Amino acid sequence: MFYWLLKYIFMGPILQLMGRPKVEGLENIPSSGPAILAGNHLAVVDSFFLPLVSTRRVTFLAKSEYFTEPGFKGWLKKVFFGGSGQVPIDRTSADAAENALSTAKRLLGEGKLLGIYPEGTRSPDGRLYKGKTGLARMALATGVPVIPIAMVGTNVMNPPGTARWHFSKVTVKIGKPLDFSRFDGMAGNRFIERAVIDEVMYELMQLSGQEYVDIYAASLKKDAADKPKPAEPAQQPDRMPESAAG
């Protein structure tokens, strides 16, 4: 119930006003049955615009930190993200990949639409980054179609690193379902998994028009965080020391 209240009463009207969303290819989302919705990831609001334009409920796998923050603020986040169709996944444990796969299997087995960002994190600069093979493992293990979905303009409405929203124009482009049944029985083959995710990323590049970068976005962010900051130049004294004043 809270999901639909958010969509039609609370969040939906604001998103319509701020983003004036346009959707292309909505007919490519099946009216029933399971599917993986694979999207590029430019901004936090990506997870709001896809459910807004879809006539069916979309469930996302989300990092568990959204659900475990203490205090009243943490409780509000838990209620909001849970109510908006997000399922927590612990990405820090040794079994993170297996937990994500088993959760995906359960949700898809229930006939749901599962939203996933194959880049694994938001793009730091608007480019499209290398996809992680977790999505490929889910697709091969379940046999469900993968539908590429490109968000265009969400990073203008909600610039990376900020919580601000600006009036903008958002377009959601939904591609044709990708069928990987030709790889039946090949789940677990890392070369096949890489071929599958590369095909998904190619379709996202075509839909979004983004420049593709063949490295992981998370690695780029880590390198930037680990890079030592340049030393600040020494400040000049306001006046010369007494001994040098003559």
Side-chain angles (χ1 to χ4, degrees):
M1 175 62 72
F2 185 55
Y3 179 94
W4 302 110
L5 287 174
L6 274 176
K7 178 173 178 175
Y8 292 113
I9 304 298
F10 300 120
M11 292 290 295
I14 298 173
L15 293 169
Q16 291 283 2
L17 176 66
M18 299 288 293
R20 296 172 293 152
K22 173 185 176 183
V23 59
E24 300 175 4
L26 186 58
E27 69 278 3
N28 291 323
I29 294 182
S31 58
S32 62
I36 295 173
L37 307 182
N40 63 334
H41 201 13
L42 296 172
V44 173
V45 293
D46 294 337
S47 300
F48 304 147
F49 275 105
L50 179 54
L52 179 68
V53 302
S54 173
T55 56
R56 294 179 59 191
R57 177 168 178 157
V58 181
T59 300
F60 288 93
L61 298 184
K63 58 184 180 181
S64 59
E65 290 89 332
Y66 288 153
F67 298 80
T68 56
E69 185 176 324
F72 181 69
K73 182 179 178 182
W75 178 81
L76 285 176
K77 283 186 176 181
K78 180 179 179 180
V79 170
F80 177 80
F81 285 110
S84 62
Q86 305 205 30
V87 176
I89 294 294
D90 183 2
R91 301 191 301 183
T92 61
S93 71
D95 299 324
E98 191 59 38
N99 291 339
L101 179 58
S102 61
T103 301
K105 285 181 177 179
R106 174 177 61 82
L107 295 171
L108 293 168
E110 296 170 358
K112 295 183 177 179
L113 293 178
L114 181 63
I116 298 177
Y117 299 116
E119 292 169 276
T121 186
R122 291 189 297 277
S123 171
D125 54 16
R127 296 185 292 177
L128 184 69
Y129 284 82
K130 187 175 182 179
K132 297 190 173 183
T133 56
L135 182 149
R137 283 194 290 274
M138 294 174 189
L140 294 172
T142 60
V144 305
V146 178
I147 302 173
I149 299 182
M151 298 289 175
V152 179
T154 50
N155 56 331
V156 177
M157 177 183 167
N158 176 208
T162 75
R164 291 185 176 183
W165 289 10
H166 304 281
F167 288 99
S168 185
K169 180 64 178 176
V170 171
T171 303
V172 182
K173 298 183 178 181
I174 304 171
K176 294 185 180 300
L178 303 175
D179 178 13
F180 296 108
S181 59
R182 64 189 184 277
F183 297 127
D184 281 350
M186 298 184 185
N189 183 312
R190 62 189 181 94
F191 298 105
I192 297 298
E193 290 174 354
R194 175 48 56 190
V196 167
I197 193 60
D198 283 349
E199 184 174 337
V200 173
M201 301 312 293
Y202 177 80
E203 293 299 323
L204 285 175
M205 180 184 69
Q206 293 292 99
L207 281 172
S208 68
Q210 291 171 274
E211 177 187 349
Y212 178 75
V213 185
D214 196 31
I215 60 173
Y216 294 116
S219 298
L220 184 71
K221 289 181 177 181
K222 184 178 184 302
D223 290 344
D226 293 343
K227 188 176 181 180
K229 296 181 179 179
E232 295 183 1
Q235 292 185 349
Q236 296 296 324
D238 292 338
R239 61 186 182 88
M240 296 178 64
E242 293 291 336
S243 58

